[in-house]
Amino acid sequence: MIEVNPFVKKDRPSITENSLSKCQKTLGYQFNDVKILIKALTHRSFAHESILKAVKDNERLEFLGDSVLSIVVSDYLVKHFPAYSEGILTKLRANLVNGPSLTEKALKLHLGKFLQLGKGEMLTGGNKRASILASGLEAVIGAIYLDGGLNKAADFVHSLFKNEIKSLSQKKGERNWKGLLQQYTQKELKSQPSYVVIEEKGPEHKKRFVIVVKIFDRLLGKGKGKTKKEAEQQAAKSTLRKYYRHYLDQAGL
């Protein structure tokens, strides 16, 4: 029998065994110690209204979950994108993990209906508030880490972001050759490549561009494309493969 939270005034609904069961089913994770889940679902407004001071809110678990989320996503990016610099990896992580994305995940999990909120928060729609939902989800991640360890927490995070991870994996084949070339030239040559259009032909709806890359005013690679962006990518790719093949080999590309 699950011991539900008895620490609130009688006019306040407390979390039930049934709702805890539904929450775990929704999360796809069964807690060994359900008290950790209860704490993860307890907002500070609820704790402040409780009778017993022993009731703790989820803010410490939120802090922990934020760190776990960061390490799990960082680990994935470092392993799957070996050629990307720290700056590029940071941007990728920020695009994956941010307030709006966490809120979206929390909404899909219907996390709001499981959160324990104070009466005032409930009356003002706190169970739908973005900041509360995002924080609650981070607290749940922290709770899973405490209950099951890093591997279980990583499994949960991967399931949350499976669509975004799939999209990143698909884009892996669409290398950002310009970014890779700039990364190499800045680090190794202390210079930046420049791109020059040497040919533009065809009607407006069917343009063709030819672009060359220059480094230290030396013409290196050439690329063609239907847009300037496409031609620049091809020019950067040609330059890397012809002149800096060792860099691609080191990066496993």
Side-chain angles (χ1 to χ4, degrees):
M1 177 67 67
I2 297 173
E3 182 184 350
V4 298
N5 197 331
F7 303 135
V8 292
K9 297 177 181 179
K10 291 183 179 180
D11 64 341
R12 292 293 321 286
S14 61
I15 197 164
T16 65
E17 183 175 355
N18 184 49
S19 64
L20 284 172
S21 178
K22 287 182 178 178
C23 182
Q24 291 176 93
K25 186 175 181 180
T26 301
L27 296 174
Y29 178 79
Q30 192 72 29
F31 277 79
N32 298 302
D33 184 357
V34 76
K35 291 179 182 178
I36 299 177
L37 174 59
I38 293 174
K39 185 183 289 187
L41 298 173
T42 303
H43 187 257
R44 64 175 177 269
S45 61
F46 185 93
H48 289 166
E49 292 180 12
S50 65
I51 294 174
L52 301 181
K53 297 299 182 181
V55 176
K56 302 297 183 182
D57 61 46
N58 62 7
E59 291 185 352
R60 286 171 60 86
L61 285 175
E62 176 195 345
F63 170 79
L64 178 61
D66 176 65
S67 298
V68 172
L69 180 59
S70 180
I71 190 63
V72 169
V73 173
S74 298
D75 179 67
Y76 176 86
L77 293 175
V78 166
K79 287 178 178 177
H80 289 79
F81 297 91
Y84 286 3
S85 68
E86 179 268 343
I88 296 175
L89 292 173
T90 299
K91 288 180 181 178
L92 280 177
R93 185 178 62 194
N95 288 334
L96 273 177
V97 181
N98 51 59
S101 71
L102 290 174
T103 300
E104 179 190 352
K105 305 303 179 188
L107 285 169
K108 287 182 178 179
L109 291 170
H110 305 290
L111 189 62
K113 70 180 182 181
F114 301 116
L115 293 175
Q116 297 193 107
L117 304 175
K119 185 180 292 185
E121 285 289 359
M122 285 298 294
L123 290 175
T124 56
N127 62 336
K128 297 179 181 178
R129 187 168 297 129
S131 59
I132 290 178
L133 289 172
S135 297
L137 183 55
E138 287 182 325
V140 166
I141 293 171
I144 292 174
Y145 169 77
L146 280 185
D147 187 74
L150 184 58
N151 287 339
K152 292 294 184 182
D155 289 343
F156 179 69
V157 171
H158 290 156
S159 70
L160 279 181
F161 292 93
K162 60 183 178 183
N163 291 332
E164 290 83 356
I165 288 173
K166 181 179 179 181
S167 178
L168 279 178
S169 297
Q170 290 173 342
K171 289 180 180 179
K172 188 177 179 181
E174 304 168 11
R175 304 268 180 206
N176 181 5
W177 298 105
K178 278 187 66 178
L180 289 170
L181 179 60
Q182 181 165 322
Q183 176 182 318
Y184 175 80
T185 56
Q186 283 182 335
K187 183 178 179 181
E188 303 296 335
L189 306 178
K190 310 303 180 188
S191 179
Q192 292 193 34
S194 61
Y195 296 83
V196 181
V197 179
I198 61 171
E199 187 177 322
E200 179 180 340
K201 59 183 179 181
E204 285 299 323
H205 67 283
K206 202 175 181 179
K207 285 280 188 182
R208 296 290 296 180
F209 297 90
V210 179
I211 289 178
V212 295
V213 176
K214 288 186 176 182
I215 299 176
F216 295 127
D217 289 326
R218 179 188 174 195
L219 194 154
L220 299 177
K222 180 188 294 186
K224 301 178 181 179
K226 296 177 182 179
T227 65
K228 289 182 180 179
K229 183 177 179 180
E230 181 183 344
E232 287 173 351
Q233 288 287 352
Q234 291 301 316
K237 180 179 179 180
S238 172
T239 301
L240 282 165
R241 288 187 167 176
K242 186 174 182 179
Y243 296 97
Y244 308 118
R245 182 75 246 184
H246 64 285
Y247 171 65
L248 298 182
D249 290 340
Q250 289 172 0
L253 302 175

